[in-house]
Amino acid sequence: MVGVKSGTWVCPLICLLYLLAFLQVEGDNVPMTLLKSAVAEGAVCLDGSPAAYNLAPGSGSGANNWLLFVEGGGWCSTVNDCVERKGNFRGSSNHMPPVSFSGMLGGVQERNPDFYNWNRVKIRYCDGASFTGDIEKVDPATGLYFRGARVWRAIMKDLLARGMNKAQNAILGGCSAGGLTTILHCDSFRSLLPANATVKCFSDAGYFIDAKDISGADSILSFYSDVINLHASANNLPSSCTSSLPANKCFFPQNVVATMKTPLFILNAAYDQWQIRNILVPNSADTNKTWGDCKLDIKKCSSDQLQTLQGFRTTFLNALPGAGSSSTGMFILSCHTHCQSGDADTWFAADSPRIDNTPIGKAVGDWYFGRSSAVRKIDCPYPCNSSCRKVDSNSMED
């Protein structure tokens, strides 16, 4: 009987140990670092709480390699919007939930073969302006701190002191508003690292385009103008852009990328859910409420609506860097989704979305390490790509 009990329990115990080891690197919560020392410098979230990030240390061949990934979360363009954020994780580190690392940040080699053992950092987003705002005065009536640019500098300073100043390889990436952050701060990020380091940037669902909505209005331009004015962002946008264009135009990647010096990879859905809902068909433009179902599920679009979406895809493709930009990688899927790099199922799985039978994770790795001369993959129009079935109409980060 003893032998039977022993045999009964040995396997489950071993399996449990393997499971725990797996969770430790792939699914366990990664500790959060609060930059309490930077509060005195004014580097704080909207509510005045400390800036924050999560760090999974690198090991082995990845000990001197750094992957920074900025989480998304939209923007606040009015005082009321920003006040609402103070009470949740979009504006306060006091309310930030734990995070687990997966997809591009994942720590399992089979699921993330190129970056699994790097120093992997998730930069928490709590300023509402893609880390561009900087206003000294705080209105006591609202208690709002518009200090995103200071938060960015404080996090960079802390990570450099933790070893990023010796980086051999580095990537600055992000999703949605974090993907826009990546583009806006890409060249300045590169300037912080050793001259001999290989430094590149990666934007997932952050290539928001300057386009009119279905009513012919410039809704997204007006919105971004309000964000910039509220947070006083103009002085913290890339000067290479603002030297020749108004600040509100320099919140659009298409105007910034043209002047960037650091290599960039653009991952985006041609039918990006957020852009369709907020750029092409904002509620203000859909006065008859005929787009509700289509915006949620592309399979429910009418033939006329699909034609409009195909026109938006063309506008999006025309806003991308031209073929002459050899350092710019692209992976433009025909999926109806938003953000695809943070999930193991879409990053590097057997059934993840693909172009030319290449998953996202492999395309990004090939581009970063130069395993392919040019990684510029642009999908055919919807509904040609059957691999999109897993992500079409999935939930969005923003």
Side-chain angles (χ1 to χ4, degrees), residues 13 54 59 83 109 112 115 121 148 155 164 192-193 224 242 259 261 304 323 353 363 382 390:
L13 285 172
N54 300 72
S59 62
V83 168
Q109 185 174 6
N112 187 27
F115 312 114
V121 182
I155 291 175
M164 195 171 72
L192 298 173
L193 299 178
Y224 279 165
T242 56
T259 64
K261 297 178 180 178
D304 287 344
Y382 175 88
K390 192 167 188 175

Side-chain angles (χ1 to χ4, degrees), residues 238-250 252 254-256 258-259:
S239 59
S240 58
C241 179
T242 56
S243 62
S244 58
L245 291 174
N248 61 356
K249 289 288 187 176
C250 293
F252 290 103
Q254 67 203 77
N255 297 323
V256 176
T259 64

Side-chain angles (χ1 to χ4, degrees), residues 34-364:
L34 292 172
L35 295 185
K36 296 179 181 179
S37 61
V39 171
E41 303 169 13
V44 294
C45 299
L46 284 169
D47 69 335
S49 59
Y53 64 80
N54 300 72
L55 167 64
S59 62
S61 61
N64 289 319
N65 298 336
W66 289 77
L67 168 59
L68 279 58
F69 195 92
V70 188
E71 68 180 352
W75 311 269
C76 56
S77 63
T78 68
V79 168
N80 288 340
D81 288 345
C82 293
V83 168
E84 182 178 349
R85 283 183 173 235
K86 284 176 55 179
N88 61 53
F89 67 100
R90 299 297 191 200
S92 172
S93 60
N94 294 329
H95 300 288
M96 288 177 179
V99 296
S100 57
F101 283 6
S102 186
M104 190 178 192
L105 286 172
V108 175
Q109 185 174 6
E110 291 76 14
R111 299 183 176 204
N112 187 27
D114 287 317
F115 312 114
Y116 74 98
N117 64 347
W118 286 30
N119 295 280
R120 290 160 287 123
V121 182
K122 184 164 218 179
I123 297 176
R124 309 306 292 267
Y125 177 48
C126 64
D127 76 285
S130 288
F131 298 94
T132 60
D134 194 356
I135 297 177
E136 180 66 32
K137 185 178 179 181
V138 178
D139 185 346
T142 64
L144 286 171
Y145 293 78
F146 298 111
R147 304 282 182 74
R150 298 190 198 186
V151 168
W152 184 260
R153 290 192 294 267
I155 291 175
M156 293 300 108
K157 179 180 177 181
D158 200 67
L159 292 174
L160 287 166
R162 284 177 173 257
M164 195 171 72
N165 62 331
K166 298 184 177 113
Q168 296 173 348
N169 296 285
I171 298 176
L172 174 63
C175 154
S176 194
L180 176 59
T181 299
T182 293
I183 292 171
L184 297 179
H185 291 280
C186 181
D187 280 346
S188 64
F189 173 72
R190 203 280 161 256
S191 70
L192 298 173
L193 299 178
N196 61 350
T198 300
V199 182
K200 300 184 181 183
C201 298
F202 167 80
S203 175
D204 177 5
Y207 204 89
F208 302 96
I209 64 170
D210 185 2
K212 294 184 182 299
D213 64 33
I214 57 172
S215 73
D218 291 309
S219 297
I220 189 63
L221 178 63
S222 176
F223 175 74
Y224 279 165
S225 297
D226 290 342
V227 172
I228 290 167
N229 291 333
L230 179 63
H231 294 258
S233 298
N235 290 335
N236 295 304
L237 297 174
S239 59
S240 58
C241 179
T242 56
S243 62
S244 58
L245 291 174
N248 61 356
K249 289 288 187 176
C250 293
F251 222 63
F252 290 103
Q254 67 203 77
N255 297 323
V256 176
V257 170
T259 64
M260 278 175 54
K261 297 178 180 178
T262 309
L264 172 71
F265 192 98
I266 301 166
L267 167 63
N268 230 99
Y271 309 89
D272 182 276
Q273 260 192 2
W274 193 95
Q275 297 202 47
I276 289 172
R277 291 185 189 183
N278 296 280
I279 297 180
L280 180 64
V281 195
N283 291 335
S284 60
D286 187 22
T287 54
N288 295 323
K289 309 300 180 187
T290 58
W291 277 81
D293 290 340
C294 175
K295 287 197 294 184
L296 292 173
D297 187 347
I298 196 171
K299 295 186 291 295
K300 296 181 180 179
C301 295
S302 68
S303 57
D304 287 344
Q305 288 170 333
L306 276 177
Q307 185 175 354
T308 300
L309 293 185
Q310 301 296 13
F312 182 78
R313 172 184 179 269
T314 299
T315 302
F316 180 86
L317 296 181
N318 288 338
L320 292 170
S325 179
S326 59
S327 65
T328 303
M330 292 183 194
F331 201 90
I332 311 299
L333 284 152
S334 290
C335 304
H336 183 226
T337 188
H338 185 72
C339 290
Q340 301 171 83
S341 60
D343 191 323
D345 287 342
T346 51
W347 176 249
F348 202 86
D351 58 349
S352 63
R354 294 165 181 259
I355 302 176
D356 297 333
N357 204 32
T358 303
I360 296 167
K362 184 177 187 305
V364 175

